[in-house]
């Protein structure tokens, strides 16, 4: 009995000591959590707008209070990131990063200042619908194509700050604000990428813009046409029948509302030193980028298990280890705030039963060769090239496993699931590739560095095609008034894809008990 008592008294100090050591190991002299904290606020603002725009007032006040308290605790434990070059001496580098973000967002078509790919017609319509209608957006009178009254139900969080601004200052201001909001998000992403290298890493930012699978090579093999390998305006990524994994630039140019938050949330999770805010940060992905949120689940499991392994102390009692793990995860921001955000987002999106498609699986016998070619040229070639350096890194296997599985799953009639659910794994793969390349350069391994740079350059042809299309089309529009700059204007409710954005809400828990009633 006495021996047992002694072991129990020793257990808590050991666990406490290990937690402190792990905390200190993630903190460096001169490091600061300020940018992570600002990024948390960037994610919180749209959800607070959603809460006050859609929730009944008493529920909105309580929910907002819980989220703000959760934000406070998350900011308290935000990781300190060390980028020593953020100082006055490096203002030119900082300005270059800002210019790079502005130019990239400008060329994407966000805001309508440059050529927009046709997917923008729905994205413009979403913003305009949110600006022009009261929140929640109900359509109760003469609802064609539906038997009952409908509401707008979609993962529209990214547009909400711009829509709120547009309600007060007009539609043109809404588009301008959307542009600025996107630039801010990209700057956070550039900062978080640079933080892995502890300096303002302009080459890494450029590499992120051009990061892609080898679509040009795959398209060339399928078509035997040099148009896919040199400067052109073609869209390359749909070369493999039944599959498509998008480059970073393609994601921004076509589905910015999902890409920017998915990149940001993934990078924030990668920088976490503990599980205290793991669920809190993840929860925002549901209303921002629903399909990437599914692709994040394997990484969430990995982060949780990795942290538990770090905490576990063999010298202490099993019970005390479990308590320490629970303390590290069952925080206010995870349970109360993250739970509130996640559950209400799920209930809201689930309300759109008319736009929901069941899960299906790829007929692998029918699409075996396109699948194998997609796997090899889109990501496996990178995994092969970095294996020697990353074989002991668990993220290597989680990213590989995720990218192998997501093409086999389908939601709806198109390939949207693989295009969107793959985004987090592609971000992780990019970080691993850049880490490997940095190591090769430092070790002066010229052949290994050259092969990796050549592969990245071939992949960069995908982004180059997207950028060339924007430049060519924007120039043509400036020279010929008959060539449109903005995507075709549509009435979102009358559009053929209306079931994707609106749903009959009569039997919905969210609209029965949480949402404000139509006036």
């Amino acid at each position: 009995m006495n021996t047992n008592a002694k072991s129990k008294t020793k257990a808590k100090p050991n666990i406490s000591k290990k937690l402190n050591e792990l905390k200190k190991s993630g903190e460096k002299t001169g490091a600061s959590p300020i940018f992570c904290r600002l990024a948390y606020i960037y994610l919180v603002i749209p959800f607070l707008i959603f809460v006050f725009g859609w929730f009944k007032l008493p529920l909105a006040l309580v929910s907002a209070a819980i989220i703000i308290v959760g934000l406070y605790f998350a900011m308290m434990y935000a990781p300190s990131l060390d980028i020593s070059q953020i100082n006055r001496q490096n203002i030119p580098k900082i300005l270059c990063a800002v210019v790079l973000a502005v130019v990239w967002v400008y060329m994407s078509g966000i805001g309508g200042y440059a050529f927009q790919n046709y997917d923008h017609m729905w994205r413009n319509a979403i913003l305009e619908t949110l600006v022009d209608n009261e929140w929640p957006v109900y359509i109760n009178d003469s609802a064609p194509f539906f038997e009952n009254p409908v509401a707008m139900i979609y993962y529209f969080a990214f547009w909400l700050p711009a829509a709120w601004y547009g309600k007060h200052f007009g539609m043109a201001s809404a588009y301008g604000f959307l542009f600025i909001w996107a630039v801010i998000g990209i700057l956070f992403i550039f900062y978080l990428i640079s933080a892995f290298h502890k300096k303002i890493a302009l080459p890494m930012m450029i590499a992120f813009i051009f990061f892609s699978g080898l679509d040009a090579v795959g398209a060339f093999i399928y078509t035997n046409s040099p148009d896919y390998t040199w400067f052109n305006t073609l869209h390359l990524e749909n070369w493999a029948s039944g599959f498509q994994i998008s480059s970073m630039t393609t994601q921004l140019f076509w589905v910015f509302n999902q890409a920017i938050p998915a990149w940001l949330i993934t990078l924030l999770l990668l920088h976490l030193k503990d599980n205290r805010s793991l669920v809190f940060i993840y929860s925002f992905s549901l209303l921002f980028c629903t399909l990437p949120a599914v692709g994040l689940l394997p990484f969430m499991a990995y982060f949780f298990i990795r942290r538990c392994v770090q905490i576990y102390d063999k010298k202490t009692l099993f019970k005390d280890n479990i308590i320490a793990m629970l303390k590290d995860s069952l925080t206010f921001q995870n349970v109360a705030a993250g739970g509130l955000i996640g559950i209400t987002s799920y209930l809201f999106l689930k309300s759109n039963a008319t736009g929901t498609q069941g899960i299906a699986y790829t007929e692998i016998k029918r699409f075996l060769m396109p699948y194998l070619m997609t796997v090899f040229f889109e990501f496996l070639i990178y995994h092969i090239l970095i294996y020697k350096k990353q074989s002991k890194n668990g993220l290597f296997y989680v990213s590989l496993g995720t990218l192998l599985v997501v093409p086999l799953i389908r939601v709806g009639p198109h390939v949207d699931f693989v295009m969107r659910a793959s985004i987090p794994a592609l971000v992780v793969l990019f970080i691993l590739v850049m880490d490997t390349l940095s190591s090769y350069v430092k070790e002066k391994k010229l052949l290994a560095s050259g092969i990796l740079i050549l592969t990245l350059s071939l992949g960069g042809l995908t982004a180059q095609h997207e950028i060339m299309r924007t430049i060519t089309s924007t120039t043509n529009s400036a020279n010929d008034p008959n060539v449109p700059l903005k995507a075709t204007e549509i009435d979102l409710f009358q559009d053929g894809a209306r079931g994707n954005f609106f749903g009959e809400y009569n039997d919905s828990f969210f609209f029965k008990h949480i949402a404000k009633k139509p006036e």
Side-chain angles (χ1 to χ4, degrees):
M1 291 292 291
N2 291 336
T3 307
N4 231 0
K6 285 181 181 178
S7 67
K8 287 183 179 180
T9 56
K10 288 181 181 178
K12 291 183 180 178
N14 285 339
I15 287 286
S16 180
K17 183 179 178 182
K18 188 157 188 177
L19 286 170
N20 288 331
E21 287 173 354
L22 288 168
K23 183 179 178 182
K24 288 178 181 177
S25 69
E27 296 176 355
K28 303 280 186 180
T29 304
S32 171
I34 182 64
F35 284 97
C36 284
R37 289 172 177 172
L38 291 173
Y40 293 171
I41 294 171
Y42 181 84
L43 293 173
V44 165
I45 287 172
F47 200 84
L48 287 178
I49 294 173
F50 174 67
V51 163
F52 282 105
W54 272 255
F55 289 20
K56 296 173 183 175
L57 185 58
L59 290 175
L61 293 172
V62 174
S63 299
I66 292 171
I67 293 167
I68 290 170
V69 173
L71 173 64
Y72 170 77
F73 284 120
M75 291 171 70
M76 278 181 61
Y77 293 101
S80 295
L81 305 182
D82 182 16
I83 298 187
S84 56
Q85 289 186 337
I86 294 193
N87 51 45
R88 290 182 180 179
Q89 286 73 26
N90 284 284
I91 287 178
K93 282 189 176 181
I94 296 171
L95 290 176
C96 284
V98 173
V99 169
L100 193 62
V102 170
V103 170
W104 196 29
V105 172
Y106 169 81
M107 297 184 77
S108 73
I110 297 172
Y113 305 113
F115 169 75
Q116 294 183 327
N117 292 294
Y118 68 81
D119 253 25
H120 279 263
M121 68 179 176
W122 290 292
R123 291 165 219 298
N124 294 343
I126 289 169
L127 176 62
E128 293 176 9
T129 301
L130 288 169
V131 171
D132 288 338
N133 293 275
E134 293 295 322
W135 295 345
V137 179
Y138 288 107
I139 300 178
N140 293 314
D141 299 325
S142 63
F145 314 111
F146 294 98
E147 295 181 1
N148 300 299
V150 298
M152 187 180 185
I153 304 166
Y154 194 68
Y155 42 91
F156 47 52
F158 190 81
W159 287 282
L160 289 180
W164 179 87
Y165 193 80
K167 281 184 176 294
H168 295 83
F169 301 102
M171 192 65 71
S173 297
Y175 277 106
F177 193 96
L178 184 67
F179 179 88
I180 295 169
W181 192 251
V183 169
I184 294 170
I186 295 298
L187 287 173
F188 280 129
I189 289 157
F190 283 172
Y191 175 86
L192 293 170
I193 290 170
S194 295
F196 288 108
H197 303 274
K198 300 178 184 176
K199 62 182 180 180
I200 302 171
L202 289 173
M204 302 303 170
M205 299 175 196
I206 295 170
F208 185 78
I209 291 172
F210 284 90
F211 186 68
S212 172
L214 276 61
D215 299 292
V217 179
F220 177 74
I221 292 171
Y222 260 66
T223 63
N224 195 28
S225 170
D227 290 342
Y228 289 90
T229 54
W230 304 114
F231 295 90
N232 210 306
T233 62
L234 298 171
H235 184 60
L236 298 187
E237 280 130 323
N238 53 358
W239 58 271
S241 176
F243 303 98
Q244 181 175 330
I245 295 179
S246 301
S247 71
M248 301 306 184
T249 289
T250 302
Q251 292 171 36
L252 183 69
F253 283 27
W254 293 75
V255 289
F256 62 86
N257 60 294
Q258 296 191 64
I260 294 174
W263 297 340
L264 180 58
I265 291 168
T266 303
L267 289 167
L268 286 171
L269 292 173
L270 284 171
H271 278 292
L272 285 181
K273 304 297 189 296
D274 53 48
N275 288 338
R276 291 177 182 273
S277 302
L278 185 69
V279 176
F280 177 73
I281 295 169
Y282 171 79
S283 65
F284 291 102
S285 64
L286 295 177
L287 197 60
F288 272 107
C289 47
T290 307
L291 294 181
V294 178
L296 268 171
L297 289 174
F299 294 97
M300 289 291 289
Y302 171 76
F303 295 140
F304 178 78
I305 294 169
R306 181 182 64 181
R307 176 62 177 173
C308 290
V309 171
Q310 288 176 338
I311 291 173
Y312 195 85
D313 191 337
K314 295 178 181 178
K315 298 178 182 178
T316 62
L317 294 175
F318 177 76
K319 179 186 72 173
D320 293 311
N321 276 297
I322 294 298
I323 291 171
M325 293 174 192
L326 292 176
K327 283 183 178 179
D328 190 61
S329 302
L330 299 182
T331 59
F332 182 89
Q333 62 267 37
N334 277 343
V335 177
L340 171 70
I341 295 165
I343 292 169
T344 53
S345 297
Y346 171 77
L347 291 173
F348 172 70
L349 295 170
K350 187 176 179 290
S351 302
N352 188 1
T354 54
T356 302
Q357 300 283 346
I359 296 175
Y361 301 96
T362 301
E363 298 177 48
I364 198 62
K365 290 182 180 179
R366 179 183 173 192
F367 293 102
L368 181 58
M369 186 52 67
Y371 170 76
L372 293 176
M373 290 190 68
T374 298
V375 163
F376 181 77
F377 286 114
E378 294 291 359
F379 59 87
L380 185 58
I381 188 168
Y382 286 117
H383 283 91
I384 292 170
L385 292 174
I386 67 175
Y387 175 77
K388 188 174 180 180
K389 283 288 181 183
Q390 303 295 339
S391 59
K392 295 182 180 179
N393 188 339
L395 287 170
F396 174 90
Y397 299 99
V398 180
S399 65
L400 176 59
T402 302
L403 289 170
L404 285 169
V405 171
V406 291
L408 303 176
I409 301 171
R410 295 180 182 272
V411 177
H414 305 296
V415 293
D416 289 41
F417 184 81
V418 60
M419 286 192 288
R420 312 299 174 241
S422 60
I423 292 175
L426 293 175
V427 174
V428 173
L429 178 58
F430 169 79
I431 297 300
L432 296 178
V433 168
M434 290 300 106
D435 179 67
T436 302
L437 182 58
S438 297
S439 297
Y440 284 155
V441 171
K442 287 177 184 177
E443 296 166 8
K444 298 182 178 179
K445 293 184 176 180
L446 298 181
L447 181 59
S449 300
I451 292 172
L452 200 47
I453 290 171
L454 176 62
T455 306
L456 287 166
S457 299
L458 289 172
L461 289 171
T462 303
Q464 174 263 311
H465 277 65
E466 295 293 319
I467 291 169
M468 283 297 295
R469 182 167 61 255
T470 290
I471 293 173
T472 302
S473 301
T474 303
T475 304
N476 291 341
S477 179
N479 296 329
D480 184 353
N482 295 319
V483 177
L485 188 69
K486 290 183 69 174
T488 305
E489 292 187 9
I490 60 169
D491 181 334
L492 192 65
F493 187 64
Q494 298 291 339
D495 181 68
R498 60 199 166 273
N500 195 37
F501 306 104
F502 295 90
E504 298 175 356
Y505 61 85
N506 283 345
D507 297 326
S508 158
F509 180 91
F510 180 89
F511 285 94
K512 276 184 177 179
H513 304 289
I514 299 174
K516 292 186 285 189
K517 303 300 180 186
E519 295 180 1

